[in-house]
Amino acid sequence: MAPKNFSSFIHSIWILLFVFGVASAQLTPDFYDKTCPGAFAAIDKVVRAAIANESRMGASLLRLQFHDCFVNGCDGSVLLDDTPTMKGEKTAAANNNSLRGFDVIDRIKAEVESLCPGVVSSLRAICPITGGDNNLAPLDTETPTVFDNGIYKDMMMEKGLLHSDQQFHNGGSTDSQVEGYSKNPEAFAADFGNAMIKMGNITPLTGTSGQIRLNCRKAN
Ligand SMILES: *[C@@H]1O[C@H](CO)[C@@H](O)[C@H](O)[C@H]1NC(C)=O
Ligand SMILES: *[C@@H]1O[C@H](CO)[C@@H](O)[C@H](O)[C@H]1NC(C)=O
């Protein structure tokens, strides 16, 4: 395979799976076009350099991907180190001391992460595995202190903080609505106002069913 095809093969199928981790279920070849343009060029550079340094590395990387894909799918599982509770694929008898190219994957990761610090790494800083329970992360990274359509712009770039938000732009029937709001703040403001009014109309007590409180904090 020509180097160009080879490296696009490697990165289009694989890199998407593990460089930053993918929050949504859909994989697309253009996933990083907006969030990390230049990622593929960086990957290409590292893979080419590794093959120029040692031509056998091309075959080794192909084999690495093959072994990943043929154990429960192309999920990057071959990259996982063993832990006390999880035996990985790296040291399984058939692979031990035989699979190689992990150092190239590490170089790719380092190259891309300086290039694009990325949403995930910045969120990890705010929300470490332990502690930080009182830290705040903006739902809207564009304009966190302004009430506007910024969150839809985030969702368009796959940067929705909450999985449940990002699901609205995930290759489904609501994609066009998210796109519309991201481009049209007036439409968002009008629809939001109407939605709030609609919500306020959820079964209020009227007539003798309720009471006008003398003190808002307690029933009369
Ligand atoms: C070049 O290849 C050698 C093995 O032949 C390896 O030890 C070294 O880490 C490689 N360097 C780079 C930059 O890929
Ligand atoms: C893998 O190779 C290492 C180093 O040769 C050895 O210590 C280890 O026992 C091997 N593990 C398995 C599961 O074969």
Side-chain angles (χ1 to χ4, degrees), residues 131-174:
D133 288 350
N134 293 324
N135 295 348
L136 296 174
L139 291 168
D140 168 0
T141 64
E142 303 275 323
T143 44
T145 59
V146 180
F147 179 76
D148 62 7
N149 62 341
I151 193 170
Y152 295 100
K153 296 179 186 171
D154 280 343
M155 285 152 71
M156 289 298 292
M157 294 184 291
E158 314 295 333
K159 282 161 62 181
L161 180 69
L162 302 182
H163 183 66
S164 52
D165 285 343
Q166 189 60 57
Q167 289 301 95
F168 285 111
H169 190 265
N170 193 20
S173 61
T174 51

Coordinates of all heavy atoms in Angstrom, one line a residue, residues 131-174:
G131 N -12.1 13.9 43.6 CA -12.2 15.3 44.0 C -12.8 16.2 43.0 O -13.3 15.8 42.0
G132 N -12.7 17.5 43.3 CA -13.2 18.5 42.4 C -14.7 18.5 42.3 O -15.3 19.1 41.3
D133 N -15.4 18.0 43.3 CA -16.9 17.9 43.2 C -17.6 19.2 43.1 O -18.7 19.4 42.7 CB -17.4 17.1 44.3 CG -17.1 15.6 44.2 OD1 -16.6 15.2 43.1 OD2 -17.3 14.8 45.1
N134 N -16.9 20.3 43.6 CA -17.5 21.6 43.6 C -17.1 22.4 42.4 O -17.5 23.6 42.3 CB -17.2 22.4 44.9 CG -17.8 21.7 46.1 OD1 -19.0 21.2 46.0 ND2 -17.1 21.7 47.3
N135 N -16.3 21.9 41.6 CA -15.8 22.6 40.4 C -17.0 22.8 39.4 O -17.9 22.0 39.4 CB -14.7 21.9 39.7 CG -13.4 21.8 40.5 OD1 -13.3 22.5 41.6 ND2 -12.5 21.0 40.1
L136 N -16.9 23.9 38.7 CA -18.0 24.2 37.7 C -17.4 24.1 36.3 O -16.3 24.4 36.0 CB -18.5 25.6 37.9 CG -19.2 25.9 39.2 CD1 -19.5 27.4 39.3 CD2 -20.4 25.1 39.3
A137 N -18.2 23.5 35.4 CA -17.8 23.5 34.0 C -19.0 24.1 33.2 O -20.1 23.8 33.4 CB -17.7 22.0 33.6
P138 N -18.7 25.0 32.3 CA -19.7 25.7 31.6 C -20.4 24.8 30.6 O -19.8 24.0 29.8 CB -19.0 26.8 30.8 CG -17.6 26.3 30.7 CD -17.3 25.5 31.9
L139 N -21.8 24.8 30.6 CA -22.5 24.1 29.6 C -22.3 24.7 28.2 O -22.4 24.1 27.2 CB -24.0 24.2 29.9 CG -24.4 23.4 31.1 CD1 -25.9 23.7 31.5 CD2 -24.3 21.9 30.9
D140 N -22.0 26.0 28.2 CA -21.8 26.8 27.0 C -20.4 27.3 27.0 O -20.1 28.3 27.8 CB -22.8 27.9 26.9 CG -22.5 29.0 25.9 OD1 -21.6 28.9 25.2 OD2 -23.3 29.9 25.8
T141 N -19.5 26.8 26.2 CA -18.1 27.2 26.3 C -17.9 28.5 25.5 O -16.8 29.1 25.6 CB -17.2 26.1 25.7 OG1 -17.5 25.9 24.3 CG2 -17.3 24.8 26.5
E142 N -18.8 28.8 24.6 CA -18.7 30.0 23.7 C -18.8 31.2 24.5 O -18.0 32.1 24.5 CB -19.7 29.9 22.6 CG -19.7 28.7 21.8 CD -18.7 28.8 20.6 OE1 -18.6 29.9 20.1 OE2 -18.1 27.8 20.3
T143 N -20.0 31.3 25.2 CA -20.3 32.5 25.9 C -21.0 32.1 27.2 O -22.2 32.2 27.4 CB -21.3 33.4 25.1 OG1 -22.3 32.5 24.6 CG2 -20.7 34.1 24.0
P144 N -20.2 31.6 28.2 CA -20.7 31.0 29.4 C -21.6 31.9 30.2 O -22.4 31.4 31.0 CB -19.5 30.5 30.1 CG -18.3 31.1 29.5 CD -18.7 31.5 28.1
T145 N -21.3 33.2 30.2 CA -22.1 34.1 31.1 C -23.2 34.9 30.4 O -23.8 35.8 30.9 CB -21.2 35.1 31.8 OG1 -20.5 35.9 30.8 CG2 -20.1 34.3 32.7
V146 N -23.4 34.5 29.1 CA -24.5 35.2 28.3 C -25.6 34.2 28.0 O -25.3 33.1 27.6 CB -23.9 35.8 27.0 CG1 -25.0 36.6 26.3 CG2 -22.7 36.7 27.4
F147 N -26.8 34.7 28.2 CA -27.9 33.8 27.8 C -28.1 33.9 26.3 O -28.6 34.9 25.8 CB -29.2 34.1 28.5 CG -30.3 33.3 28.1 CD1 -30.4 32.0 28.6 CD2 -31.3 33.7 27.2 CE1 -31.4 31.1 28.1 CE2 -32.3 32.9 26.8 CZ -32.4 31.6 27.3
D148 N -27.7 32.9 25.5 CA -27.8 33.0 24.1 C -27.7 31.6 23.5 O -28.0 30.6 24.2 CB -26.6 33.8 23.5 CG -25.2 33.2 23.8 OD1 -25.2 32.1 24.4 OD2 -24.2 33.9 23.6
N149 N -27.5 31.5 22.2 CA -27.5 30.2 21.5 C -26.1 29.5 21.5 O -25.9 28.6 20.7 CB -28.0 30.4 20.1 CG -27.1 31.3 19.3 OD1 -26.3 32.0 19.8 ND2 -27.3 31.2 18.0
G150 N -25.2 29.9 22.3 CA -23.8 29.4 22.3 C -23.8 27.9 22.5 O -23.0 27.2 21.8
I151 N -24.7 27.3 23.3 CA -24.6 25.9 23.5 C -24.9 25.1 22.2 O -24.3 24.0 22.0 CB -25.6 25.4 24.6 CG1 -25.3 24.0 25.1 CG2 -27.1 25.6 24.2 CD1 -26.1 23.6 26.3
Y152 N -25.7 25.7 21.3 CA -25.9 25.0 20.1 C -24.7 25.0 19.2 O -24.4 24.1 18.4 CB -27.1 25.6 19.3 CG -28.4 25.4 20.1 CD1 -28.9 26.4 20.9 CD2 -29.0 24.1 20.1 CE1 -30.1 26.1 21.7 CE2 -30.2 23.9 20.9 CZ -30.7 24.9 21.6 OH -31.8 24.7 22.4
K153 N -23.9 26.1 19.3 CA -22.7 26.2 18.5 C -21.7 25.1 19.0 O -21.0 24.5 18.3 CB -22.1 27.6 18.7 CG -22.9 28.7 18.0 CD -22.2 30.0 18.2 CE -23.2 31.1 17.7 NZ -22.6 32.5 18.1
D154 N -21.7 24.9 20.4 CA -20.9 23.8 20.9 C -21.3 22.5 20.4 O -20.5 21.6 20.0 CB -21.0 23.8 22.4 CG -20.1 24.9 23.1 OD1 -19.2 25.4 22.5 OD2 -20.4 25.2 24.3
M155 N -22.6 22.3 20.4 CA -23.1 21.0 19.9 C -22.8 20.7 18.5 O -22.5 19.6 18.1 CB -24.6 20.9 20.2 CG -25.0 20.7 21.6 SD -26.6 21.4 22.1 CE -27.7 20.2 21.3
M156 N -22.8 21.8 17.7 CA -22.4 21.6 16.3 C -21.0 21.2 16.1 O -20.6 20.5 15.2 CB -22.6 23.0 15.5 CG -24.0 23.4 15.3 SD -24.9 22.2 14.3 CE -24.0 22.5 12.7
M157 N -20.1 21.5 17.1 CA -18.7 21.1 17.1 C -18.5 19.9 18.0 O -17.4 19.6 18.3 CB -17.8 22.3 17.6 CG -17.9 23.5 16.6 SD -16.7 24.8 17.1 CE -17.5 25.3 18.6
E158 N -19.6 19.2 18.3 CA -19.5 18.0 19.1 C -18.9 18.3 20.5 O -18.1 17.5 21.1 CB -18.6 16.9 18.4 CG -18.9 16.6 17.0 CD -20.4 16.1 16.8 OE1 -20.9 15.4 17.7 OE2 -20.9 16.3 15.7
K159 N -19.1 19.5 21.0 CA -18.5 19.9 22.3 C -19.5 20.0 23.3 O -19.3 20.7 24.4 CB -17.8 21.3 22.1 CG -16.4 21.1 21.4 CD -15.9 22.4 20.9 CE -15.7 23.5 21.9 NZ -15.2 24.8 21.3
G160 N -20.7 19.5 23.1 CA -21.7 19.5 24.2 C -21.2 18.9 25.5 O -20.6 17.8 25.4
L161 N -21.4 19.6 26.6 CA -20.8 19.1 27.8 C -21.5 17.8 28.3 O -20.9 16.8 28.7 CB -20.9 20.2 28.9 CG -20.3 19.7 30.3 CD1 -18.8 19.6 30.2 CD2 -20.7 20.7 31.4
L162 N -22.9 17.9 28.2 CA -23.7 16.7 28.6 C -24.0 15.8 27.5 O -24.4 16.3 26.4 CB -25.0 17.2 29.3 CG -24.8 18.2 30.5 CD1 -26.2 18.5 31.0 CD2 -24.0 17.6 31.6
H163 N -23.8 14.6 27.7 CA -24.2 13.6 26.7 C -25.6 13.8 26.2 O -25.9 13.7 25.0 CB -24.0 12.2 27.3 CG -24.2 11.1 26.3 ND1 -23.4 10.8 25.2 CD2 -25.2 10.1 26.3 CE1 -23.9 9.8 24.6 NE2 -25.0 9.4 25.2
S164 N -26.5 14.0 27.2 CA -27.9 14.2 26.8 C -28.1 15.4 25.9 O -29.0 15.4 25.0 CB -28.7 14.3 28.1 OG -28.2 15.4 28.9
D165 N -27.3 16.4 26.0 CA -27.4 17.6 25.1 C -26.9 17.2 23.7 O -27.5 17.5 22.7 CB -26.6 18.8 25.6 CG -27.3 19.5 26.8 OD1 -28.5 19.2 27.0 OD2 -26.7 20.3 27.5
Q166 N -25.7 16.6 23.8 CA -25.1 16.3 22.5 C -25.9 15.3 21.6 O -25.8 15.3 20.4 CB -23.7 15.7 22.7 CG -22.8 15.6 21.5 CD -22.6 16.9 20.7 OE1 -22.1 17.9 21.3 NE2 -23.1 17.0 19.5
Q167 N -26.7 14.5 22.3 CA -27.6 13.6 21.6 C -28.5 14.3 20.6 O -29.0 13.7 19.6 CB -28.4 12.8 22.5 CG -27.7 11.7 23.3 CD -26.9 10.8 22.5 OE1 -25.8 10.9 22.1 NE2 -27.6 9.7 22.0
F168 N -28.8 15.6 20.9 CA -29.7 16.3 19.9 C -28.9 16.6 18.6 O -29.6 17.0 17.6 CB -30.1 17.6 20.6 CG -31.2 17.4 21.6 CD1 -31.0 17.7 22.9 CD2 -32.5 17.0 21.2 CE1 -31.9 17.5 23.9 CE2 -33.4 16.8 22.1 CZ -33.2 17.0 23.5
H169 N -27.6 16.5 18.6 CA -26.9 16.6 17.4 C -26.0 15.4 17.2 O -24.8 15.5 17.6 CB -26.1 17.9 17.3 CG -25.5 18.2 16.0 ND1 -24.2 17.8 15.6 CD2 -26.1 18.8 14.9 CE1 -24.0 18.2 14.3 NE2 -25.1 18.7 13.9
N170 N -26.6 14.4 16.7 CA -25.9 13.1 16.7 C -26.3 12.3 15.5 O -26.4 11.1 15.6 CB -26.2 12.4 18.1 CG -25.3 11.2 18.3 OD1 -24.2 11.1 17.8 ND2 -25.8 10.3 19.1
G171 N -26.5 13.0 14.4 CA -26.9 12.2 13.2 C -28.4 11.9 13.2 O -28.7 11.0 12.4
G172 N -29.2 12.5 14.0 CA -30.6 12.1 14.0 C -31.5 13.2 13.6 O -31.1 14.2 13.0
S173 N -32.8 13.1 13.9 CA -33.8 13.9 13.3 C -33.8 15.3 13.9 O -34.3 16.3 13.3 CB -35.2 13.3 13.6 OG -35.4 13.2 15.0
T174 N -33.1 15.6 15.0 CA -33.0 16.9 15.6 C -31.8 17.7 15.2 O -31.6 18.8 15.6 CB -33.1 16.8 17.1 OG1 -32.1 15.9 17.6 CG2 -34.4 16.4 17.6

